[in-house]
Amino acid sequence: MKRIFQAILYASLSCVSIAVVPYIARTQNPPNVAWSSSEVNVVLGPGAASTSVVTFQSSKDLENVTLQAVPAISGFLSIQPSSFAVIKANQSQQVLLSFAAPAAAATGSVEGTIHIQAGRQTLPQTLKVTVSIVKQRVGFVVPAGFAADQRMIDLGGPVSLNNFGNHYEHGGLIPPGGAEIYITDVALPPPPLLDFIAGETVGALTSAITSIAVAGSPATKVVYTDLPGGVRYRNVAIYVPRGTRLFKLYLFFRDDDPQADDFLAAFQQVISTITLP
Amino acid sequence: VIPRLSAIASATAVLLFGSSPARRAPYDPQLATVISQFLSAKNPLLAANASVFVSDGLTYNVDPRLVVAIAGQESSYGTNWGLCSPSGYNAWSILSSGACKNYNSYPDAIDAENQLLHKYIALNLWADIPTIGYHYCGTTPDCAEWSDNVSFIYHNLLGGNLSDLTFARGMVDFEQLSGPSVFSGITPPVTVGIATFSGGQVLDATTALPVDRSKVYGTAFFCPGCLPTITISFSHPVSNFSVFLMNGLGLTITYVVRDNFAGFKIVTLPANFLSGSGTVSLPEQGILLVLISGDSSTTWDFLIDDVQFAPM
């Protein structure tokens, strides 16, 4: 019995030593990698594309570095550059992520990570990537703090983003601190476009109508307030005629929201990254 | 909360016989009567606002049947107050910051609900009742039947069109007609649905009219036989009238749009090459005649498109 016990104890200690030694080796001087954002979310329609620039830096010098996406998302993006001979400590490295969806992509959401390999070592700090495939042929990067509404994708509705986890108030109002972004398209109405806009903004108070460019096309930007449900909303609508279609981008939030500037910046990020067919 | 089957036969009949080439479905001129009859046995106070449902529906392009149906689901038409108190007239259970919104009257509440639905329906963001239900009530088990119930009231009981939740006014855009690109001479009066146009002719891709390349109806002093006034007559009274008016002359011109109640609007439009144009609305109810003319009976050139109205 005693010999059996000794044998078990020996075997156990051997296992411990096998498990612990590599862990110590990896963690004695682990480089710390910091990404410029914790995650990248993109929305892509069939055949659509978009790009995002991210940066990372390491706390230590690294050699023979490669960046790779896990198989779940690797078919949707390319990474440039994807390899570095040397990365100096605390120097920011810029990487271009080019996203593209196949023309036959099915709607839904795909998640994965981009990881960094230095030599034979895979570093633990990964970049989370979510690709939402929608039916509209648009592509853009989702602003930080916002997420695509998967339920709307399932319902076949327009592209819808919000920053409140889809927790609308009963009745459909945006909760305090919330903002939502919609992107949709309709058949191009007969001119003048301002008549079409007037129909959409019935009962609203328009404060500005300006001309801008979106995805290389001339567009009309309208800023207005309205009173859905008796609650004052601040809204930005952008109308982009494109061939036989009129693309429409909307930002809605409560008029008294102190985060208004953040919401406007988030909307601007959508506008600046969006691609249209 | 599901009301008894009623009014479906009359609502369906109105839809079938109420259609015309000049009208966009699902507008229904008898809908105020249908809603009044439907609600009278349920909540006379709400039934008394049937005309408000319809006028707000026209203003915000939201089918009034949907607003009625949501009140049916949320509060049994203002008779079974679950989330809100009767004193706030919020039969639609609209919450803001977690509390019930209170309104001053049913018309106020109907207007607020219409503005909410307009924001998403007319902008083509919430296209169907399941999508509305998702935003309106969420995905909790309590909301599982929201869409089915609202759809039943809206479609089965009130005859609403499940694939079109809007309530557009009738519109004449002349697209089913043909005409030259330059004036060739007055034509006999053109009748589209309940509207008859006279004094000019239909043009297509009109020369020197950059603002509107689609089909329009116009008159000009150099058009043989054309008159300095375009006359629109209606075989039935209309309300919520508007017309898209375009200046065809190369200088700024003032126009007058008048109706048979002596109501009028005056607009000044820039030159045609500056896309001088605008939508002119008349607020009168029961309009049978509209006259459009410029400030000269010797030199005129103007055109119209997208004539909208609500038959009464």
Side-chain angles (χ1 to χ4, degrees), chain A residues 135-158:
Chain A
K135 68 174 185 179
Q136 292 82 3
R137 292 171 57 207
V138 300
F140 63 91
V141 177
V142 177
F146 284 75
D149 187 338
Q150 188 60 43
R151 175 81 172 177
M152 284 293 278
I153 295 173
D154 295 341
L155 286 167

Side-chain angles (χ1 to χ4, degrees), chain A residues 135-183:
Chain A
K135 68 174 185 179
Q136 292 82 3
R137 292 171 57 207
V138 300
F140 63 91
V141 177
V142 177
F146 284 75
D149 187 338
Q150 188 60 43
R151 175 81 172 177
M152 284 293 278
I153 295 173
D154 295 341
L155 286 167
V159 180
S160 172
L161 315 175
N162 63 68
N163 68 340
F164 49 88
N166 313 328
H167 294 124
Y168 290 86
E169 297 215 62
H170 191 92
L173 289 177
I174 298 170
E180 57 182 353
I181 293 171
Y182 284 95
I183 295 153

Side-chain angles (χ1 to χ4, degrees), chain B residues 97-147:
Chain B
S97 303
C100 230
K101 281 289 291 180
N102 288 324
Y103 303 103
N104 295 323
S105 61
Y106 271 133
D108 276 359
I110 294 167
D111 185 75
E113 176 72 2
N114 267 282
Q115 291 204 47
L116 175 61
L117 294 173
H118 164 84
K119 183 174 191 69
Y120 296 98
I121 292 174
L123 273 54
N124 207 36
L125 302 176
W126 297 354
D128 51 34
I129 291 175
T131 303
I132 294 171
Y134 163 58
H135 291 90
Y136 207 103
C137 192
T139 54
T140 62
D142 290 347
C143 297
E145 296 180 350
W146 196 98
S147 295

Side-chain angles (χ1 to χ4, degrees), chain B residues 171-220:
Chain B
M171 185 173 84
V172 177
D173 60 9
F174 307 104
E175 291 308 306
Q176 71 272 44
L177 304 172
S178 59
S181 61
V182 294
F183 284 106
S184 58
I186 191 170
T187 61
V190 173
T191 298
V192 183
I194 64 169
T196 298
F197 301 83
S198 61
Q201 69 171 128
V202 173
L203 296 172
D204 186 6
T206 309
T207 300
L209 191 68
V211 69
D212 191 344
R213 307 306 298 153
S214 68
K215 291 167 184 171
V216 299
Y217 189 87
T219 182

